[in-house]
Amino acid sequence: MSDIEPTADTEVHHHAQTEGPGYATPQAAIEESDPERLAYVMGLYVGTDVDAPDFLSVVDVDPESETYTEVIDRVEMPNRGDELHHFGWNACSSSCHIDELERRHLIIPGQRSSRIHVVDTKNRRDPQIETVIEPEELFEYDLSAPHTVHCIPDGEILISMLGDANGELPGGFLELNDDFEIEGRWDPPGEIEMNYDFWYQPRHNVMVSSEWAAPTTYYPGFDLEDVENGMYGQRLHVWDWAEGNVEQTIDLGEDGLIPLEVRFLHSPEATHGYVGAALSSNIFHFFEADGEWHAENVIDVESREHEDWEMDVPGLVTDLLISMDDRYLFFGNWLHGDVRMYDISDPANPRLADRIWAGGYFGDSHPTGADDREVVGGPQMLQLSLDGERLYWTTSLFSSWDNQFYPKEAEKGSVMLKADVNPRNGTMELDEDFLVDFGDSPHGPARAHEIRWPDGDCTSDVWQ
């Protein structure tokens, strides 16, 4: 694992004289950042009986605040039915060499609407919509269903697009310039069929992308026949980052059905990463060796019997993240209801360190207290504090899939939960005093999805 050890070049890397966004190194993010005080969380009404637009929530996570665990502001989108899903910053630590560039604007796509919102967070507690890119502008590039947003080193923004203008395959990538205008299509059309998440390592000129399915396949909900008919993905694509071409495709086989979130280790020297295969409920370790990229199944979550299911229930690994010090891997089993913490000091041999049960089909439905509200759904989108000591998660996956597996969530709304993490001992403990209830939203119970910190986080910051 010598390639993930910090090097002298990692530490200096020409950042000392610049004032750009983010931190010079992952270690600087750990040591120089303040504890998170606010969280930005996606809130949505798609698939519920509430006739209201989706919104960006500003959640108070400062334990010293009088409004701790409350949603203190909401930015409503101008239209209904967007299905806000994943979102990202206009700039991150990969751009810290660019003077005057700020990590200030959130790029918030609508998965179903193909509408992209740009929100200015200059006032962190009162963000405002700055501009909206309408879906017709995306369709001109034969793209739809925007998903993962990553800032890229020169100030532009790259967004994975899961479908063509009709919601069919192939997907691709859309590039925005630093004025939030469409720069064009980043990839030559036809490089890939399916698309989902991606992560890049500029120092190694590599990007890895994963596969979900065509929007027309997953929009209505999950159908096992679609899997049997090969309509869901099982491959990783390794790109030449500078040229935007696929250099290698890795077929994960049946053990790798529906590979979703992609995470490289944070060190820019690292050539190791992980991807979670949702349906197979496995974690694959991908790595470079001898000039080739490889992927090995390193964590297998066994399916479990349940009296309400005709088949064994898979864990359904839908999100994972790596601590900023590259020591721990966290992921949730959305259907089982547990959050797991693995020691990845040896990336090829993860070791289970701890886990917590909360909701899902097998976890405690009242994990924060018998008199507290019921947790409907399982652990889904995760976010970790930069110092690695506080892990947060929400419970909504995707509206039509929520309604299929957890129909009560449309009536009760999502929650946001938190665990206190002890990185030294490799343990977690559920914080029973922390629960953000999206069931109390003004228009009615809402779903909650991805979480971001104003000063960067473990699922969006990249270093070059």
Side-chain angles (χ1 to χ4, degrees):
M1 49 181 281
S2 59
D3 58 336
I4 63 171
E5 294 293 338
T7 65
D9 187 43
T10 307
E11 296 301 326
V12 295
H13 195 54
H14 310 298
H15 291 293
Q17 305 302 319
T18 60
E19 298 292 337
Y23 303 92
T25 65
Q27 188 62 33
I30 296 169
E31 295 177 357
E32 298 172 9
S33 63
D34 294 323
E36 65 284 355
R37 300 295 184 217
L38 297 173
Y40 295 124
V41 183
M42 289 293 92
L44 59 153
Y45 285 114
V46 174
T48 72
D49 292 332
V50 178
D51 182 22
D54 296 348
F55 56 93
L56 170 69
S57 308
V58 182
V59 179
D60 187 339
V61 294
D62 179 0
E64 303 300 321
S65 169
E66 293 182 356
T67 54
Y68 182 52
T69 72
E70 295 181 12
V71 177
I72 58 173
D73 191 46
R74 294 173 180 79
V75 182
E76 291 192 348
M77 300 300 116
N79 297 276
R80 288 167 168 74
D82 285 313
E83 180 115 29
L84 304 182
H85 193 61
H86 287 210
F87 64 130
W89 289 102
N90 66 306
C92 70
S93 293
S94 73
S95 308
C96 66
H97 60 294
I98 301 180
D99 288 332
E100 300 181 354
L101 186 63
E102 296 179 79
R103 191 200 319 254
R104 171 173 157 178
H105 291 88
L106 285 167
I107 315 303
I108 304 177
Q111 236 294 305
R112 287 184 190 268
S113 68
S114 296
R115 188 174 287 109
I116 298 174
H117 313 82
V118 179
V119 172
D120 186 350
T121 67
K122 182 178 181 179
N123 183 339
R124 291 184 170 188
R125 301 175 73 88
D126 184 24
Q128 302 290 326
I129 293 178
E130 180 166 309
T131 189
V132 178
I133 301 172
E134 295 296 337
E136 292 75 15
E137 298 176 66
L138 278 60
F139 298 159
E140 290 183 14
Y141 297 89
D142 200 21
L143 293 169
S144 69
H147 192 269
T148 298
V149 177
H150 269 302
C151 55
I152 55 181
D154 290 335
E156 288 94 0
I157 298 146
L158 192 63
I159 305 174
S160 61
M161 309 290 295
L162 276 53
D164 66 12
N166 297 314
E168 301 287 353
L169 300 177
F173 292 88
L174 187 76
E175 186 174 353
L176 307 183
N177 63 27
D178 54 6
D179 289 324
F180 314 118
E181 300 165 332
I182 296 178
E183 189 79 6
R185 185 164 182 153
W186 179 77
D187 57 316
E191 285 292 290
I192 55 173
E193 284 290 307
M194 298 181 193
N195 201 3
Y196 182 72
D197 193 34
F198 68 101
W199 195 288
Y200 64 94
Q201 284 286 63
R203 205 171 289 191
H204 296 284
N205 189 36
V206 65
M207 181 178 91
V208 174
S209 66
S210 58
E211 296 184 334
W212 193 3
T216 51
T217 298
Y218 65 79
Y219 275 176
F222 177 74
D223 187 336
L224 197 56
E225 285 192 8
D226 290 338
V227 178
E228 295 167 351
N229 291 329
M231 296 172 70
Y232 278 97
Q234 59 182 45
R235 300 185 298 175
L236 298 181
H237 304 283
V238 182
W239 298 71
D240 181 309
W241 171 243
E243 298 296 327
N245 298 321
V246 173
E247 289 200 320
Q248 186 183 344
T249 293
I250 303 172
D251 191 331
L252 303 176
E254 292 186 357
D255 286 345
L257 276 167
I258 314 183
L260 295 181
E261 312 303 335
V262 177
R263 314 291 185 210
F264 263 105
L265 298 191
H266 296 285
S267 166
E269 293 293 313
T271 53
H272 296 266
Y274 298 90
V275 62
L279 187 59
S280 302
S281 301
N282 294 319
I283 301 291
F284 278 81
H285 167 225
F286 60 82
F287 58 98
E288 187 272 338
D290 303 323
E292 294 262 325
W293 287 84
H294 309 267
E296 295 179 350
N297 184 1
V298 292
I299 300 173
D300 181 8
V301 177
E302 292 190 9
S303 299
R304 295 180 56 173
E305 293 183 1
H306 191 282
E307 59 185 5
D308 294 335
W309 281 58
E310 295 181 357
M311 56 180 279
D312 288 350
V313 182
L316 212 75
V317 178
T318 49
D319 192 22
L320 69 157
L321 64 78
I322 296 170
S323 60
M324 197 58 75
D325 62 1
D326 289 337
R327 183 176 176 189
Y328 292 109
L329 169 72
F330 297 85
F331 68 86
N333 288 300
W334 187 59
L335 291 179
H336 284 184
D338 58 321
V339 179
R340 297 192 182 191
M341 175 181 183
Y342 281 77
D343 187 328
I344 53 170
S345 300
D346 177 358
N349 295 287
R351 179 183 62 81
L352 179 63
D354 203 357
R355 67 174 165 177
I356 286 174
W357 290 92
Y361 279 85
F362 300 99
D364 189 344
S365 57
H366 294 273
T368 60
D371 296 329
D372 214 340
R373 69 148 289 184
E374 179 184 10
V375 173
V376 179
Q380 217 282 294
M381 295 310 296
L382 310 173
Q383 193 52 263
L384 184 68
S385 59
L386 292 175
D387 63 9
E389 295 184 1
R390 293 165 300 282
L391 180 72
Y392 302 78
W393 65 90
T394 57
T395 54
S396 169
L397 173 59
F398 194 70
S399 63
S400 48
W401 293 43
D402 289 352
N403 288 343
Q404 192 170 355
F405 295 101
Y406 295 111
K408 287 173 63 177
E409 190 164 55
E411 304 167 10
K412 292 184 174 294
S414 298
V415 297
M416 179 175 170
L417 299 174
K418 166 179 170 281
D420 293 317
V421 181
N422 185 328
R424 181 178 296 274
N425 296 332
T427 57
M428 296 186 293
E429 183 177 2
L430 186 71
D431 182 350
E432 296 185 3
D433 294 325
F434 185 97
L435 186 149
V436 182
D437 187 357
F438 283 80
D440 282 340
S441 299
H443 297 302
R447 308 180 196 277
H449 197 65
E450 194 168 41
I451 306 165
R452 296 245 170 266
W453 312 130
D455 293 316
D457 49 59
C458 295
T459 58
S460 64
D461 256 316
V462 174
W463 279 266
Q464 67 164 328

